[in-house]
Amino acid sequence: WRLNFGFQGNIPERAFNKNISRFNNKNGGAGVHLCPTWFVYKNLSLAVNMEYAMVVEDYQTDKIDVFNIISFTPRVRYYFTDLKIRPFAGLGAGFYHVLSHSPKINLGICPVVGINIYDYFELSMEYNKILNNIKINPSSMGAFDNYYLAVKGSFSIGIFGKKPKKDNNPASFD
């Protein structure tokens, strides 16, 4: 078992849409996360990501608000090598709550790609897509496109247990 924790920066939509002003930070923001991870095999892990993200609204007035999002997403990751530096890809699906907006519980998906460095640090890019249609009061807040793209840096510590052997047998240990 390992415990990942860290910070994230959300990439604003203007990075992908040249029609948005360079001063508009729509869908940008920041966040923190905690993710207990169980390595079923050396190259396969199961985890539960718990995250708080602040996502910036579309600029419409001088007052800029953020959407506060709490998520709980079980996920699976596949590590392509068993070297000290291991690229990985994964998929998560879970629950998202956008504070002060409805519906209260929303379903979402989260594909991820990244790199694990010596089992102590991970750098990843995650696309978080809320599948429900969030109901927002347009007179109080600007637009939100039900997604954010996060670049995450995570530190990782071992919490208990032994590492699985490379032979992909979850019952055997070093």
Side-chain angles (χ1 to χ4, degrees):
W1 285 85
R2 298 200 66 80
L3 181 63
N4 293 358
F5 56 93
F7 301 95
Q8 69 192 49
N10 302 331
I11 299 174
E13 188 174 328
R14 71 171 184 264
F16 312 102
N17 184 347
K18 298 300 179 196
N19 295 326
I20 295 176
S21 162
R22 68 185 177 111
F23 300 107
N24 189 335
N25 202 30
K26 178 182 177 186
N27 286 13
V32 294
H33 60 275
L34 183 68
C35 187
T37 303
W38 175 51
F39 280 86
V40 180
Y41 303 114
K42 183 73 173 162
N43 64 342
L44 183 69
S45 70
L46 301 175
V48 176
N49 187 63
M50 296 165 278
E51 176 174 301
Y52 167 73
M54 297 175 293
V55 180
V56 178
E57 71 170 352
D58 188 12
Y59 292 3
Q60 294 181 348
T61 65
D62 291 341
K63 180 179 175 263
I64 311 307
D65 285 318
V66 298
F67 293 91
N68 296 291
I69 301 171
I70 297 171
S71 64
F72 180 86
T73 54
R75 54 183 59 189
V76 62
R77 286 185 179 172
Y78 179 79
Y79 297 81
F80 294 102
T81 71
D82 58 354
L83 303 173
K84 297 291 184 188
I85 297 176
R86 304 185 301 155
F88 64 85
L91 181 64
F95 303 101
Y96 292 77
H97 173 56
V98 182
L99 276 63
S100 303
H101 298 286
S102 62
K104 295 292 183 195
I105 303 296
N106 304 281
L107 297 176
I109 59 171
C110 177
V112 58
V113 295
I115 188 166
N116 177 296
I117 303 168
Y118 289 90
D119 288 335
Y120 292 105
F121 185 76
E122 287 186 351
L123 186 60
S124 63
M125 184 171 286
E126 298 182 4
Y127 176 77
N128 290 271
K129 174 67 175 168
I130 298 173
L131 301 175
N132 298 63
N133 194 10
I134 307 296
K135 294 178 180 76
I136 298 167
N137 181 350
S139 64
S140 65
M141 300 215 34
F144 171 58
D145 292 335
N146 287 18
Y147 79 90
Y148 57 97
L149 182 63
V151 175
K152 291 186 170 183
S154 302
F155 296 97
S156 181
I157 58 173
I159 49 178
F160 58 85
K162 296 180 180 180
K163 289 185 179 180
K165 283 188 174 182
K166 294 177 186 174
D167 66 0
N168 289 341
N169 182 352
S172 63
F173 295 94
D174 289 334

